[in-house]
């Protein structure tokens, strides 16, 4: 929805977290935390109240940078190379995945979900807070498929173990599906996807991870998208992702 239509729909004044989400800052829930953290100012005054209402006439900044309602919603698919972190900025000075999109897109885009620095493959970027929230919510049950190459042969019983669930350091990991493709190559489908889940599970089985690539998110496949390349999601893919999340 264009900014002008959005403000008309919302009677010109909207809650601050909604305005931030429609400005491509983050999902609405994440914007609420950004406000609580004291990172948002309205007309020069730091605001931490969820009830604050603003309009397009107000000057709103996040971390000192002025933000604007964005006219166009973007839904972007990136094939992330290894060596890039999934965050808006990095205190250690590491390369940020979103920077790969800056030449192509002027909008402020943020990642939906994450891939660790050493993992490669598909990640979705958007400036649509509601879309991001739906895809990220635990109830969405959105499948993510990974192709994993290992440094040791994979035991025949590993897929069954992972599908039933494996506990590592008091954390319970369980995949939806695990298939051995070769002696040292796996296909793994996750639903929840805890931090470094696949690497932690393999390490607990004394199996090293040589390469980890996310090749599918829901109905969206990697196809011929090369590392570092990006493209807009099609309308069909956007609707498909939303339909998958609404089934649960």
């Amino acid at each position: 929805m264009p900014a002008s239509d959005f403000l008309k729909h919302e009677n010109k004044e909207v809650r601050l977290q909604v305005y931030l989400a429609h400005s491509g800052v983050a999902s609405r829930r994440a914007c609420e935390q950004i406000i609580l953290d004291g990172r948002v100012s309205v007309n020069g005054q730091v605001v931490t109240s969820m009830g604050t209402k603003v309009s397009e006439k107000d000057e709103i900044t996040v971390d000192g940078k002025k933000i604007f309602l964005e006219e166009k919603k973007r839904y972007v698919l990136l094939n992330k190379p290894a060596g890039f972190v999934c965050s808006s900025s990095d205190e250690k000075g590491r390369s940020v995945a979103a920077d790969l999109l800056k030449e192509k897109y002027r909008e402020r885009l943020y990642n939906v979900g994450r891939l660790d620095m050493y993992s490669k493959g598909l990640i979705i970027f958007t400036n649509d807070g509601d879309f991001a929230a739906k895809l990220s919510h635990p109830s969405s049950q959105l499948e993510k498929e990974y192709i994993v190459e290992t440094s040791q042969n994979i035991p025949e019983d590993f897929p069954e173990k992972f599908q039933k669930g494996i506990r590592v350091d008091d954390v319970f990991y369980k995949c939806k599906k695990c298939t051995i493709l070769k002696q040292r190559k796996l296909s793994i489908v996750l639903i929840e996807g805890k931090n470094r889940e696949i690497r932690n599970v393999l390490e607990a089985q004394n199996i090293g991870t040589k390469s980890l690539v996310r090749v599918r998110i829901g109905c969206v496949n990697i196809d011929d998208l090369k590392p570092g390349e990006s493209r807009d999601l099609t309308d069909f893919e956007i609707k498909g992702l939303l339909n998958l999340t609404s089934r649960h």
Side-chain angles (χ1 to χ4, degrees):
M1 183 185 294
S4 57
D5 292 347
F6 167 68
L7 286 174
K8 286 176 185 176
H9 179 69
E10 299 288 348
N11 296 320
K12 294 190 178 181
E13 279 202 341
V14 297
R15 290 184 182 274
L16 181 56
Q17 59 267 37
V18 175
Y19 190 101
L20 296 181
H22 279 263
S23 300
V25 174
S27 69
R28 196 175 304 188
R29 182 175 294 182
C31 287
E32 290 175 355
Q33 189 59 50
I34 290 170
I35 294 168
L36 292 172
D37 290 342
R39 295 168 55 190
V40 182
S41 293
V42 178
N43 301 323
Q45 299 294 317
V46 174
V47 173
T48 57
S49 170
M50 291 298 109
T52 302
K53 289 195 173 183
V54 295
S55 73
E56 205 172 12
K57 295 178 181 178
D58 293 305
E59 181 174 294
I60 300 163
T61 62
V62 178
D63 298 330
K65 296 179 182 178
K66 191 172 180 179
I67 64 164
F68 304 89
L69 286 171
E70 293 182 336
E71 293 290 338
K72 185 174 178 62
K73 293 300 180 189
R74 291 285 188 184
Y75 309 90
V76 179
L77 187 69
L78 171 70
N79 184 351
K80 185 186 89 68
F84 289 80
V85 296
C86 292
S87 60
S88 56
S89 61
D90 187 67
E91 67 281 356
K92 297 179 182 177
R94 296 172 296 185
S95 299
V96 176
D99 290 344
L100 295 168
L101 304 173
K102 284 187 175 178
E103 286 188 14
K104 195 171 177 182
Y105 301 96
R106 70 169 185 82
E107 293 87 359
R108 179 174 176 170
L109 303 174
Y110 56 92
N111 47 284
V112 182
R114 293 173 180 267
L115 280 172
D116 69 55
M117 180 176 177
Y118 301 105
S119 297
K120 299 175 282 187
L122 298 185
I123 189 158
I124 293 171
F125 284 79
T126 188
N127 58 352
D128 184 338
D130 292 337
F131 176 79
K134 286 175 183 175
L135 265 60
S136 301
H137 198 276
S139 67
S140 72
Q141 298 285 292
L142 197 63
E143 290 186 359
K144 291 99 174 175
E145 183 177 357
Y146 303 79
I147 299 298
V148 187
E149 294 185 11
T150 65
S151 52
Q152 285 84 27
N153 290 349
I154 302 155
E156 289 184 7
D157 63 347
F158 175 75
E160 185 179 358
K161 281 184 179 179
F162 199 1
Q163 286 168 183
K164 287 183 176 178
I166 296 173
R167 189 170 293 279
V168 181
D169 296 331
D170 294 327
V171 180
F172 186 71
Y173 298 106
K174 182 179 179 181
C175 71
K176 181 173 183 180
K177 187 177 181 181
C178 182
T179 307
I180 296 177
L181 304 175
K182 294 181 180 178
Q183 282 188 325
R184 298 188 176 188
K185 192 172 185 179
L186 284 166
S187 165
I188 297 174
V189 177
L190 299 180
I191 296 293
E192 187 177 358
K194 298 183 175 77
N195 185 37
R196 294 177 59 84
E197 175 163 351
I198 293 172
R199 294 180 188 276
N200 290 341
V201 168
L202 288 171
E203 187 177 324
Q205 305 296 310
N206 297 312
I207 302 170
T209 302
K210 285 181 65 177
S211 172
L212 193 156
V213 184
R214 184 191 282 163
V215 296
R216 179 172 65 87
I217 301 173
C219 58
V220 180
N221 293 291
I222 198 165
D223 295 326
D224 57 354
L225 197 66
K226 295 179 175 61
E229 289 185 347
S230 61
R231 67 169 177 82
D232 291 315
L233 290 174
T234 65
D235 289 342
F236 181 79
E237 288 171 330
I238 295 166
K239 290 175 183 176
L241 289 168
L242 291 173
N243 285 338
L244 286 171
T245 61
S246 66
R247 291 179 186 175
H248 302 278

